[in-house]
Amino acid sequence: MIGTLHVYENEAAVFHAAAEKFVSLANSAIAAGGRFTVALSGGSTPKGLYELLTLDPYRGQVAWDKVEWFFGDERSVGPDDPESNYRMAREAFLLKLAVPPERTHRIAGESEQPSAAAAQYAGELAQTFGLATDGPPPTIDLVLLGMGSDGHTASLFPFTAALNERAKWVVANDVPQLHTRRYTLTVPVLNAAACVLFMITGVGKAKVLQEVLEGPREPERLPSQLIAPGDGRLLWYVDRAAASRLES
Ligand code: 6PG
């Protein structure tokens, strides 16, 4: 297994542990370099963490105006669509923490030109990090990820083209199994992160978590196995239900 596994009693305990890690990483990054860069996960699980960060004690523990918010992936929808990861984050915490709009970098999922929208987002990453998009990827301080029951993470879905992208930082990824297109940070960007934190909860993830962590390496079928940012920088925060099939 790559990374460090932390098993918590229940989902609430996962969120509290993730909030404490978030605060710790944020304060270290802000102390060291004056800002904290985060790539947010979508779906439903992380909403519990996002809402928790707006409450005491966590709300008062971070200089929120020094955080740059990015998204690990986005659906092909606009910012007000119920499916939008940006909308979920905006409603769960961005509005509540009065995050300055210029610090929130959303993916233009509504775009009619998917490749241009992906390139534009890569450009926004490059500008924030003072890099060139044809060079090495940025080191995002914290990448939050979830995992689907099919083993996908971000919008790196099984057997899709984005899994093999090693040059571009952001791509529009056709996902035939969902009859849709998704925008996603690519493996080089995710693996360049200073810290990657998976939050995985519920018995419905138990089988796939066991396969990803303990099964044979099959990254085309289990894209979460592609995430390997380096020792000590990959954290798996799971609850007992999700861990219930693990042998180790
Ligand atoms: C998305 C997410 C996606 C998510 C997984 C797990 O856009 O849906 O970025 O990768 O993390 O689908 O979602 P849950 O944690 O809600 O099960």
Side-chain angles (χ1 to χ4, degrees), residues 98-121:
V99 171
E102 65 274 14
R103 294 275 195 185
T104 306
H105 309 276
R106 78 173 184 91
I107 301 170
E110 71 276 14
S111 174
E112 298 294 322
Q113 286 84 33
S115 297
Q120 189 278 331
Y121 200 63

Side-chain angles (χ1 to χ4, degrees), residues 41-45 73 75 85 146-148 152-154 182 205:
S41 174
S44 55
T45 299
D73 70 328
R75 288 82 181 276
N85 288 336
M147 184 173 70
H152 84 263
T153 190
R182 292 280 192 93
K205 304 289 177 70

Side-chain angles (χ1 to χ4, degrees), residues 4-244:
T4 308
L5 175 71
H6 298 259
V7 181
Y8 297 94
E9 191 57 35
N10 52 44
E11 186 173 68
V14 168
F15 294 148
H16 277 283
E20 287 164 16
K21 175 57 75 174
F22 183 103
V23 168
S24 169
L25 292 172
N27 289 329
S28 297
I30 292 167
R35 73 176 184 186
F36 182 50
T37 56
V38 183
L40 296 171
S41 174
S44 55
T45 299
K47 191 172 179 182
L49 167 63
Y50 301 163
E51 291 170 340
L52 194 59
L53 290 173
T54 71
L55 305 175
D56 291 334
Y58 309 110
R59 182 188 186 100
Q61 294 177 344
V62 176
W64 298 107
D65 61 333
K66 292 188 168 49
V67 182
E68 294 280 357
W69 304 96
F70 291 91
F71 291 82
D73 70 328
E74 186 56 276
R75 288 82 181 276
S76 295
V77 296
D80 300 316
D81 190 291
E83 283 294 301
S84 165
N85 288 336
Y86 164 78
R87 173 176 162 173
M88 185 270 277
R90 182 182 67 196
E91 294 178 354
F93 76 106
L94 292 172
L95 287 176
K96 294 174 186 170
L97 294 177
V99 171
E102 65 274 14
R103 294 275 195 185
T104 306
H105 309 276
R106 78 173 184 91
I107 301 170
E110 71 276 14
S111 174
E112 298 294 322
Q113 286 84 33
S115 297
Q120 189 278 331
Y121 200 63
E124 202 159 331
L125 270 166
Q127 186 179 10
T128 304
F129 286 87
L131 299 172
T133 54
D134 58 358
T139 299
I140 299 172
D141 291 317
L142 174 61
V143 171
L144 295 172
L145 291 176
M147 184 173 70
S149 56
D150 62 352
H152 84 263
T153 190
S155 281
L156 300 170
F157 284 83
F159 310 108
T160 58
L163 301 187
N164 301 305
E165 178 60 55
R166 294 294 178 272
K168 293 176 183 165
W169 299 356
V170 187
V171 294
N173 188 32
D174 289 330
V175 187
Q177 55 267 51
L178 296 183
H179 309 292
T180 189
R181 175 182 300 122
R182 292 280 192 93
Y183 292 89
T184 189
L185 298 185
T186 56
V187 171
V189 176
L190 298 174
N191 282 346
C195 181
V196 176
L197 171 54
F198 274 96
M199 287 186 291
I200 302 168
T201 62
V203 70
K205 304 289 177 70
K207 179 175 183 300
V208 70
L209 185 64
Q210 191 281 330
E211 290 183 288
V212 165
L213 296 186
E214 298 178 339
R217 184 163 174 75
E218 301 175 77
E220 284 287 312
R221 184 176 75 86
L222 299 168
S224 293
Q225 290 185 337
L226 290 168
I227 308 306
D231 285 345
R233 297 191 299 164
L234 175 56
L235 303 173
W236 303 84
Y237 283 16
V238 308
D239 65 2
R240 283 197 181 289
S244 56

